[in-house]
Amino acid sequence: MRHWIGIAAMLLLMCALAATSHAQPHKVIFDTDFGLPPTDDGWALALALGSPELEILGVTTVAGNFSVERATAEVLKMLELSSREELPVYQGADMPLVHAPSDFARGEYGEWYSGDPPPMPAGGFASKSAESISAMDFMVRTVLDAPGEVTLVAIGPLTNVAMAIRQHPRFASSVKQLVIMGGAIAQLPDGHGNVTPNAEFNFWVDPEAARSVLRAGIPTMLSPLNVSRKTGLTRQWYEAIVARDTPITRLARERLGPRYAANPGRSDLMYDQVAVASLIDPTLVTTQEMFVDVDALHGINYGVSVGGDEPWPGAEGAPRVQVQYDLDWDRFIRMFVERVSR
Ligand code: RIB
Ligand code: CA
């Protein structure tokens, strides 16, 4: 009898330990080409800040949607508005590894090449500044201090991550997991590009970085345009967000309100928000394991991501990654609305 009580007590303890370890938040470095909401990076950070499943260790900035200086200024403002100034911010790369600005780039969306000083965010610059070490140094130091524990959420061009991989030979093997918003997979539905016919913005801005990061052997979850195209932030959901009054929803009301008034049928794709949500709750997305590689040759497919069920000639070394292609829209949008308006 005593024997069975001992076994039962041991089982209970194991269940309790399993439950505790399951409840541990993901330790996250949040790497972003940030813009305040309603930019998708801004919404994605609002979602992360409102999610107890994530423990943000630091926010790192990279040139992409805007210059890196502007990204940094706007992250600092976001954290101030959210009363989360304790979170450190590290500035990263101000240019892609190789890709030089061109007339085409300047005519497209994104200001990664801009040398202009950052415009003052609504309400003025934050009183706090970025930390003195670089985004790459912070990534390397943090990951090597806790090997196998840190997840990188990368929702801009992958320049910082590629530079961190180059910086230390044990960095890549010490990252727990990489969640990337990037790419478009023509092999799956809705896989056309959004900058060139087949290239997605984050991968196109820094194709060399995207290729080397994917090939670094880090367990990777890819959130490409295919899954973003299952979303649409319409007026109905905007109104649900701004029904609560917080500094962030006020900002959204100021900036988005006039746009919905001018075009009530407006519907915005949600890119980076899906990547963050998929880490919070992986059951929100449907994935397929594929070999994925990025074309970094300077030709018509520069920056294009290609996914296949089998390796193919020219893509030797392409890794297997989990590719998101569908989403439980109803559960996702309800979670998003509730958490960004907390
Ligand atoms: O292609 C979508 C990506 O580029 C997102 O990360 C978004 O922020 C845009 O700039
Ligand atoms: Ca982004």
Side-chain angles (χ1 to χ4, degrees):
M1 180 67 178
R2 197 176 286 166
H3 175 70
W4 288 111
I5 291 174
I7 289 177
M10 181 65 79
L11 283 173
L12 277 174
L13 180 65
M14 284 167 67
C15 288
L17 283 174
T20 316
S21 69
H22 185 68
Q24 290 294 315
H26 296 280
K27 294 180 194 298
V28 162
I29 297 177
F30 194 93
D31 189 57
T32 169
D33 55 337
F34 196 80
L36 282 163
T39 304
D40 61 330
D41 295 72
W43 282 133
L45 183 56
L47 175 59
L49 293 171
S51 296
E53 296 86 350
L54 308 185
E55 177 191 350
I56 301 175
L57 304 177
V59 182
T60 53
T61 58
V62 66
N65 288 322
F66 307 107
S67 71
V68 73
E69 285 84 7
R70 177 166 173 182
T72 304
E74 299 208 3
V75 171
L76 289 163
K77 187 67 189 179
M78 174 88 182
L79 295 176
E80 185 175 276
L81 288 172
S82 310
S83 302
R84 296 297 302 273
E85 297 102 317
E86 84 282 2
L87 292 177
V89 177
Y90 303 86
Q91 185 160 298
D94 63 354
M95 286 294 283
L97 297 179
V98 176
H99 196 171
S102 61
D103 287 347
F104 177 81
R106 289 179 204 283
E108 293 298 310
Y109 170 77
E111 294 173 19
W112 45 278
Y113 44 78
S114 169
D116 294 341
M120 188 164 70
F125 286 102
S127 39
K128 217 184 134 189
S129 308
E131 307 298 314
S132 55
I133 67 165
S134 72
M136 303 64 139
D137 286 348
F138 170 70
M139 283 183 180
V140 170
R141 185 183 294 182
T142 307
V143 166
L144 293 185
D145 278 354
E149 292 184 27
V150 179
T151 296
L152 301 182
V153 174
I155 56 174
L158 288 164
T159 323
N160 290 344
V161 184
M163 290 173 81
I165 290 168
R166 277 191 193 174
Q167 196 165 311
H168 200 287
R170 277 190 292 110
F171 175 78
S173 60
S174 303
V175 173
K176 179 181 181 188
Q177 189 192 354
L178 184 53
V179 181
I180 297 173
M181 191 287 130
I185 305 296
Q187 176 92 339
L188 298 172
D190 296 321
H192 53 285
N194 60 359
V195 181
T196 71
N198 287 322
E200 178 279 334
F201 179 81
N202 288 338
F203 280 15
W204 178 80
V205 170
D206 200 336
E208 290 79 9
R211 181 178 161 91
S212 69
V213 169
L214 285 180
R215 285 170 164 250
I218 303 169
T220 296
M221 170 68 84
L222 190 66
S223 193
L225 291 179
N226 307 68
V227 70
S228 315
R229 292 190 170 117
K230 306 295 179 197
T231 66
L233 189 63
T234 56
R235 186 177 187 148
Q236 171 201 355
W237 298 112
Y238 155 74
E239 279 173 355
I241 292 169
V242 299
R244 288 201 216 157
D245 187 45
T246 72
I248 299 302
T249 63
R250 236 170 286 146
L251 184 66
R253 183 185 282 281
E254 280 163 25
R255 301 173 112 198
L256 265 181
R259 299 187 206 171
Y260 282 111
N263 178 11
R266 180 189 176 92
S267 175
D268 292 327
L269 291 182
M270 303 169 80
Y271 307 101
D272 301 338
Q273 303 95 319
V274 173
V276 171
S278 71
L279 180 61
I280 296 166
D281 181 357
T283 69
L284 289 171
V285 291
T286 313
T287 65
Q288 179 172 326
E289 193 172 81
M290 297 182 98
F291 293 88
V292 177
D293 210 358
V294 179
D295 193 334
L297 296 173
H298 290 258
I300 56 172
N301 283 323
Y302 192 48
V304 169
S305 47
V306 183
D309 299 328
E310 307 279 344
W312 65 98
E316 293 83 4
R320 269 181 220 262
V321 304
Q322 293 297 329
V323 179
Q324 300 173 4
Y325 65 93
D326 205 358
L327 172 78
D328 185 335
W329 165 250
D330 196 57
R331 279 203 301 126
F332 162 75
I333 191 63
R334 288 178 195 285
M335 177 179 90
F336 176 77
V337 167
E338 196 272 319
R339 292 183 180 208
V340 300
S341 54
R342 270 183 185 173

